[in-house]
């Protein structure tokens, strides 16, 4: 990659942390307490911490890979390491994964919005508005994306403060006894938790644009830690407030938590939460849209990322209509999450090992 | 120019969603309370009160009733008889008749819970007679019964006189293992609604009722009696206590395969009425007696409460939930109601009289 291009889109390490937070925290926050209550019971907090631990290890390999190829993205160095055919296959997998993720997350977003706020608006209208806004942001490149995420982080944080009144109504009996989970269940639930953490793979694409590359791991881990604390917060509140069995009967527990409380003057908080959550979902979709369009730009050597975005826009719109109901949406989300776990955990480790064995290195930034 | 066009374009997009979901406030009907009674042939009678906001309207409220097999069907039909879209957004109370509650509330709870607009904080209650009869009450203080009920529940719950329970509470207690739901029991007068006790459920079916004194004990044991008055008739005089703090500990445990429930209740109270000529300030024995009288009364009420709950096989105190969290190996959800009914209960009450008011 040309150094001039890297300089143009360079982002700070702090912005990297915000990108990771905004990419990870998206759809999962609405349903995570239910999923965790089912798989890990009252020990869900343990699975969430372990899940973050696995991702931290994955981030370390992504970082090592990035340090080896400081000016290249995975689309480029997969070619160097595996050759043009296998490399292109890896690149295509990332594009496919990012495109599918954008589509299904956008579909989940409009489903939630149709349930709570816009029941009569055709989902195609909401979806096209959502995707066009996302396309507009993505078309302005990584730097704009990072700045928006940084700004939105501070704007969206109050969404979680809204949940504080329910924290004081938590019945701690619902979280006891601790350490009841068996080893098999713990492994299963940790694996399930990892689906909610997908998002750090964006580092594979944006590594060359980060200012202080030696501190990428620290910034990424900081972002991951904030994501973990957010998930711990909503899961503990969800299980503590409702208990394990009632929680499994609530489709979007984090929103329903707010339905349960009546705050004087403010009244119904769930609609305000959804208003803020629209931006949370928007950032996640935009990240994946960016990943898909930027990867495609690199693979097909487009002049401008906006062309690839425009090419992907109708495909994403069409893919979003594949799930026929909310059950299928969850099934597809699980499928892409598993796909994501493989691409983020196994592929970087394998690439790093092969690169070391074949002694392949990228060009040094200073040399360029 | 490019940016101005973009802003216009984005604003136009925002407006397009409003075309479908726009709900003008004057075209929306907000029921303030709903009553549900049993009707013939597995049907239910649904009645809802709608406030009329138009100043020129001859009436301030409008009550519409309909017989239907389910809540959603019933309101679909009511919708055809109202001008404006019915929204449960401002719904504050639902009253079920005792007869209906005995048959089970699950289907109505499901319809309400599934509705994203219905607030989880809406208060549920049981009426000892036909729930729809509430429309015959001529409330003196306020014109609108829905608003009256809302204020009544708020003030009585704050004074620890009402076991206030919401849709959310009922849903949670219904599904959680080791806990059963309960709701306040109402009686309609000519000009007011009286809270006469508690309706006790096993799962979603009403299985019995508690009177006022047992309800008082229930609230003390549930940590719901944070502050409030307690009255006691001792010999030929009255004593009124103001509870400043109540701490309860419920300890279920098995001993020789027998479930035991240990109840420890400690109260800090002030004296607010003492209708005898005796002075307490220089009489420690009398102070002790005043404390013991209340302790003995509450112990008796607690035992009556437990006896009734065991008769009903309903664990509205959530003792099973405590056992499950502290000794999960001892808790069996399948046999819990029977185990609870056979449990041995040991209540100890300690009362600390802290202040005497401004009289000696």
């Amino acid at each position: 990659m040309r150094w001039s291009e890297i300089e143009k889109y360079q982002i700070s390490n702090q912005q990297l942390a915000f990108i990771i937070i905004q990419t990870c925290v998206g759809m999962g926050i609405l349903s995570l307490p239910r999923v965790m209550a089912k798989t890990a019971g009252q020990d869900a907090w343990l699975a969430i911490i372990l899940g973050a631990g696995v991702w931290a290890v994955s981030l370390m390999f992504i970082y090592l890979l990035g340090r080896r190829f400081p000016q290249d993205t995975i689309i480029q160095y997969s070619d160097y390491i595996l050759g043009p055919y296998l490399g292109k296959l890896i690149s295509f997998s990332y594009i496919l994964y990012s495109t599918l993720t954008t589509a299904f997350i956008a579909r989940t977003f409009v489903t939630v919005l149709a349930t709570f706020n816009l029941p009569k608006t055709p989902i195609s209208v909401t979806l096209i508005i959502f995707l066009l806004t996302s396309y507009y942001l993505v078309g302005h490149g990584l730097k704009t994306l990072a700045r928006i995420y940084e700004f939105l982080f501070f704007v969206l944080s109050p969404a979680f403060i809204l949940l504080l009144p329910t924290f004081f109504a938590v019945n701690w009996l619902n979280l006891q006894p601790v350490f009841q989970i068996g080893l098999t269940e713990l492994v299963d639930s940790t694996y399930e938790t990892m689906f909610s953490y997908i998002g750090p793979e964006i580092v594979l694409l944006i590594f060359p644009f980060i200012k202080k590359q030696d501190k990428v791991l620290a910034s990424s881990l900081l972002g991951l830690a904030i994501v973990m604390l957010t998930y711990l917060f909503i899961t503990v509140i969800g299980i503590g407030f409702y208990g394990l069995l009632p929680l499994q009967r609530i489709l979007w527990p984090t929103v329903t938590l707010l339905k349960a409380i009546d705050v004087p003057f403010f009244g119904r908080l769930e609609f305000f939460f959804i208003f803020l959550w629209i931006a949370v979902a928007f950032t996640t979709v935009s990240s994946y849209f960016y990943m898909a369009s930027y990867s495609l730009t690199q693979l097909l050597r487009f002049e401008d990322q906006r062309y690839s975005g425009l090419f992907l826009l109708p495909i994403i719109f069409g893919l979003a209509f594949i799930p026929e109901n909310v059950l299928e949406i969850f099934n597809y989300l699980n499928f892409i999450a598993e796909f994501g776990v493989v691409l983020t955990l196994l592929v970087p480790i394998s690439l790093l090992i092969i690169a070391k064995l074949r002694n392949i290195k990228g060009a040094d930034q200073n040399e360029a | 120019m490019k940016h101005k066009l973009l802003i216009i374009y984005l604003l136009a997009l925002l407006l397009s969603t409003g075309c479908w979901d726009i709900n003008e406030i004057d075209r929306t009907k907000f029921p303030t309370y709903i009553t549900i009674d049993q009707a013939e042939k597995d049907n239910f009678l649904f009645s809802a009160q709608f406030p009329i906001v138009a100043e020129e309207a001859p009436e301030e409220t409008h009550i519409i009733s309909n017989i239907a097999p389910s809540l959603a069907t019933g309101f679909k039909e009511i919708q055809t008889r109202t001008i404006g879209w019915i929204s449960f957004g401002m719904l504050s109370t639902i009253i079920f008749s005792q007869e209906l509650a005995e048959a089970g509330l699950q289907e109505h709870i499901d319809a309400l819970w599934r509705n994203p607009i219905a607030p989880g904080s809406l208060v549920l209650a049981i009426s000892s007679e036909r729930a729809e009869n509430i429309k015959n009450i001529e409330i003196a203080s306020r014109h609108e019964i829905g608003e009256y009920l809302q204020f009544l529940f708020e003030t009585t719950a704050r004074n620890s006189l009402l076991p206030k329970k919401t849709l959310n509470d009922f849903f949670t207690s219904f599904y959680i293992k080791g806990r059963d739901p309960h709701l306040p029991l109402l009686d309609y007068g000519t000009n007011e609604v009286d809270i006469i006790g508690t309706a006790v459920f096993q799962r979603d079916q009403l299985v019995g009722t508690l009177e006022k004194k047992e309800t008082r004990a229930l609230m003390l044991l549930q940590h719901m009696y944070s502050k409030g008055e307690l009255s006691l008739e001792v010999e030929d005089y009255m004593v009124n206590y103001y509870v400043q703090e109540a701490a309860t500990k419920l300890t279920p445990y098995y001993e020789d395969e027998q479930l035991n429930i240990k109840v420890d209740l400690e109260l800090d109270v002030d004296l607010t009425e003492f209708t005898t000529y005796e002075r307490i300030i220089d009489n420690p024995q009398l102070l002790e007696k005043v404390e013991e009288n209340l302790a003995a009364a509450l112990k008796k009420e607690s035992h009556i409460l437990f006896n009734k709950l065991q008769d009903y096989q309903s664990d509205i105190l959530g003792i099973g939930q405590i056992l499950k969290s502290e000794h999960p190996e001892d808790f069996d959800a399948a046999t819990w109601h029977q185990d609870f009914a056979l449990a041995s209960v040991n209540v100890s009450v300690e009362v600390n009289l802290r202040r005497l008011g401004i009289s000696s």
Side-chain angles (χ1 to χ4, degrees), chain B residues 9 18 38 44 67 99 115 181 224 235 244 249 251 270:
Chain B
Y9 164 71
Q38 190 73 52
F44 306 100
I67 293 177
E99 181 196 6
N115 185 330
M224 284 178 74
E235 295 159 5
Q244 287 289 359
K249 187 165 169 50
T251 317
D270 294 349

Side-chain angles (χ1 to χ4, degrees), chain A residues 42 115-122 125-126 128-129 132-133 136 171-174 176-177 180 241-247 249-250 256 259-262 268 270-271 306, chain B residues 2-3 6 9-10 13-14 16-17 20-23 85 88-89 112-113 115-121 166-168 171-172 175-177 179 318 321-322 324-326 328:
Chain A
Q42 62 268 36
T115 308
F116 287 96
N117 289 51
L118 303 170
K120 291 172 198 160
T121 305
V125 173
T126 324
I128 195 71
I129 293 171
L132 279 175
T133 320
Y136 178 72
N171 183 352
W172 296 102
L173 287 176
N174 290 328
Q176 293 169 9
Q180 292 295 301
F241 188 82
Y242 281 113
L244 296 175
L245 288 178
L247 195 59
R249 292 185 169 266
I250 305 169
T256 313
K259 183 177 146 86
I261 51 165
D262 190 15
R268 306 284 296 277
E270 73 263 37
F271 299 110
R306 276 175 287 196
Chain B
K2 195 179 162 190
H3 284 93
L6 182 77
Y9 164 71
L10 284 174
L13 279 177
L14 284 174
S16 66
T17 54
W20 285 280
D21 275 291
I22 190 163
N23 287 314
W85 175 67
F88 285 172
L112 291 164
W113 188 260
N115 185 330
I117 306 295
S121 58
T166 62
L167 172 64
N168 189 71
F171 174 84
T172 312
Y175 282 111
I176 218 152
K177 281 180 183 168
R179 179 182 284 276
Q321 197 186 0
I322 299 170
K324 185 170 167 276
S325 69
E326 290 174 358

